[in-house]
Amino acid sequence: MMSGDFFFRNKIPVAILGATGCVGQKFVQLLSKHPWFEIFALCASEKSAGKTYQEAVHWTLPTPIPDEVKQMQVLTCETSLDCQLVFSALDSSIAGFIETRFAEAGHLVISNSRNHRMEANVPLVIGEVNPEHLELAKSQPFQRGMIITNPNCSVIGMVMALKPLMPLGIDAVHVVTMQAISGAGYPGVASLDINDNIIPFIKGEEGKLESEPLKILGDLQGTTLQPASIKISAQCNRVPIIDGHVACLSIKLNGSASPETIIQAWREFSGEPQKFQLPSAPLHPIYYFDDPFYPQPRFHRLLDKEMAVSIGRLRPCSLMDYKFTLLSHNMTRGAAGSALLNAELLVKKGWVYWS
Ligand code: NAP
């Protein structure tokens, strides 16, 4: 059956690399009820390989391990797989070369890891923001395979808030993040370090917040990407929240715009995932709240399939033009959910084949 045909006889088989980690588990949870995809293989390190998934995984999600994967045998990432689509949630220490090897073997790799994100011919895509950048992958050196990447988990929420404001002209952004513990994977940050505490450093994070948005918001001119020219300064903190990254932004515009114009741009924002009604697409990518106590991780991280960005507290900034607060779920919108959305877009565009 060819893609683009939504009268599925069979679901599309997919593999997860790094299936035992935090993001890998989120993939398992989301895929277990996915209408188009089904889990064909679960891969992880030598430590997990050979065990059943139930034995290998330290399950941290509040829903039970789906029955259909409990007895699946975990494979190494050396295994050759008979499915085109491969989601990668690998630790970045090994993700780079393993993902390249899968692309060389003809797989369509959709990665959450940082390793390939900033390579010139690797699309760094948020479904609602820059689906046209997927074209960059056509110039990758693989025969049939390719690598598509998701941005950093905090970058996704931030860029989704900025994209609707691009027509107003954004000159500069200052962002301070408060990032959840699950963003560090498992076992992540020691409880003695994070309880009753805030850690004002996340290795490599500020550089990602200052560079990735420029690629995502850049203009594709032919086969070349012209990065956006926005000055960004980021400060990142780890806070004792389980899921949900919060960010406080101040923005400087090139011209002037009223708060009503900005709020309307957020509330009306939608993209290809909404147009195509993709299974992982939220009805509304952005929710703006008038209540000055919102957004809050406990109340809003699960909003609209855990895929919405919640924004509140838009107000004048005495240093720049405006400031506001946003929240997004780091493991769903910030990782597995956005990767699924990218895969669904690729199905819709006819890049995925299965029989
Ligand atoms: P994690 O909980 O530490 O999981 C890492 C996964 O990689 C595990 O399945 C682990 O398998 C596997 N792995 C480690 N070494 C391996 C090796 N040598 N060979 C094969 N597999 C190996 O990390 P995570 O939080 O899920 O993050 C996964 C990736 O997504 C990272 O690159 C991270 O930066 C990125 N990311 C994370 C988030 C988030 O919110 N957590 C958001 C966006 C992006 P074993 O269990 O067998 O060791």
Side-chain angles (χ1 to χ4, degrees):
M1 185 183 292
M2 287 306 294
S3 48
D5 174 357
F6 284 84
F7 194 69
F8 296 133
R9 266 173 292 158
N10 299 307
K11 288 191 180 182
I12 302 167
V14 303
I16 307 168
L17 310 180
T20 49
C22 284
V23 176
Q25 293 175 35
K26 196 72 198 173
F27 272 119
V28 168
Q29 185 198 51
L30 295 174
L31 285 165
S32 74
K33 49 184 187 219
H34 198 281
W36 299 357
F37 303 137
E38 69 186 344
I39 298 172
F40 173 77
L42 299 168
C43 306
S45 75
E46 299 283 352
K47 176 187 87 168
S48 305
K51 297 179 182 168
T52 65
Y53 186 66
Q54 185 170 226
E55 287 166 348
V57 74
H58 180 88
W59 189 257
T60 60
L61 297 176
T63 54
I65 305 179
D67 283 337
E68 65 274 22
V69 297
K70 280 183 180 165
Q71 298 306 319
M72 279 180 79
Q73 194 183 55
V74 177
L75 309 171
T76 68
C77 293
E78 308 291 321
T79 318
S80 101
L81 299 174
D82 192 16
C83 68
Q84 184 202 14
L85 257 183
V86 172
F87 293 107
S88 169
L90 287 168
D91 188 89
S92 58
S93 60
I94 36 80
F97 72 88
I98 293 178
E99 289 168 0
T100 301
R101 214 175 48 218
F102 272 92
E104 283 168 353
H107 297 278
L108 205 171
V109 180
I110 301 191
S111 170
N112 288 282
S113 302
R114 66 173 159 78
N115 309 64
H116 295 289
R117 283 182 192 149
M118 297 306 285
E119 290 169 17
N121 54 10
V122 173
L124 181 60
V125 173
I126 304 170
E128 286 89 346
V129 173
N130 60 336
E132 70 281 5
H133 290 190
L134 288 169
E135 292 295 315
L136 284 173
K138 291 186 173 164
S139 61
Q140 290 179 9
F142 312 111
Q143 289 280 338
R144 292 184 359 254
M146 54 179 74
I147 299 174
I148 311 282
T149 56
N150 273 2
N152 164 277
C153 43
S154 283
V155 169
I156 293 184
M158 167 176 157
V159 169
M160 285 181 66
L162 296 179
K163 173 71 180 182
L165 311 185
M166 288 298 280
L168 305 174
I170 303 174
D171 178 48
V173 175
H174 177 243
V175 56
V176 177
T177 66
M178 287 155 271
Q179 301 187 204
I181 312 168
S182 62
Y186 188 83
V189 192
S191 58
L192 207 53
D193 289 334
I194 194 68
N195 272 316
D196 187 28
N197 208 8
I198 289 175
I199 300 172
F201 177 65
I202 303 175
K203 192 172 177 210
E205 199 77 354
E206 291 171 358
K208 292 176 201 165
L209 267 79
E210 291 173 0
S211 60
E212 292 182 17
L214 307 183
K215 178 169 181 179
I216 305 161
L217 294 169
D219 252 351
L220 188 64
Q221 295 167 357
T223 53
T224 318
L225 196 62
Q226 188 61 40
S229 58
I230 301 173
K231 298 181 274 297
I232 304 177
S233 171
Q235 302 186 57
C236 298
N237 305 283
R238 186 75 67 197
V239 300
I241 297 290
I242 292 180
D243 292 321
H245 290 350
V246 172
C248 294
L249 281 81
S250 292
I251 57 170
K252 187 170 176 359
L253 301 174
N254 289 323
S256 64
S258 67
E260 292 75 24
T261 305
I262 292 175
I263 292 169
Q264 187 182 4
W266 282 330
R267 285 187 169 147
E268 289 178 355
F269 177 59
S270 83
E272 289 194 5
Q274 286 69 39
K275 185 172 100 190
F276 296 138
Q277 299 184 341
L278 299 178
S280 301
L283 199 55
H284 302 288
I286 295 177
Y287 288 74
Y288 183 80
F289 292 97
D290 295 314
D291 187 326
F293 285 93
Y294 288 178
Q296 297 180 18
R298 236 176 344 122
F299 297 135
H300 304 114
R301 63 190 163 202
L302 303 184
L303 190 60
D304 212 339
K305 302 179 190 167
E306 306 176 17
M307 288 290 283
V309 175
S310 299
I311 308 182
R313 300 212 65 214
L314 180 71
R315 60 213 190 277
C317 170
S318 52
L319 294 179
M320 299 171 95
D321 290 320
Y322 286 103
K323 50 189 174 181
F324 57 92
T325 301
L326 69 81
L327 162 79
S328 58
H329 196 301
N330 53 296
M331 297 233 287
T332 314
R333 178 46 95 170
S338 281
L340 284 179
L341 202 55
N342 284 342
E344 291 162 8
L345 263 179
L346 293 176
V347 171
K348 191 71 191 171
K349 286 177 185 296
W351 292 22
V352 178
Y353 57 84
W354 70 102
S355 57

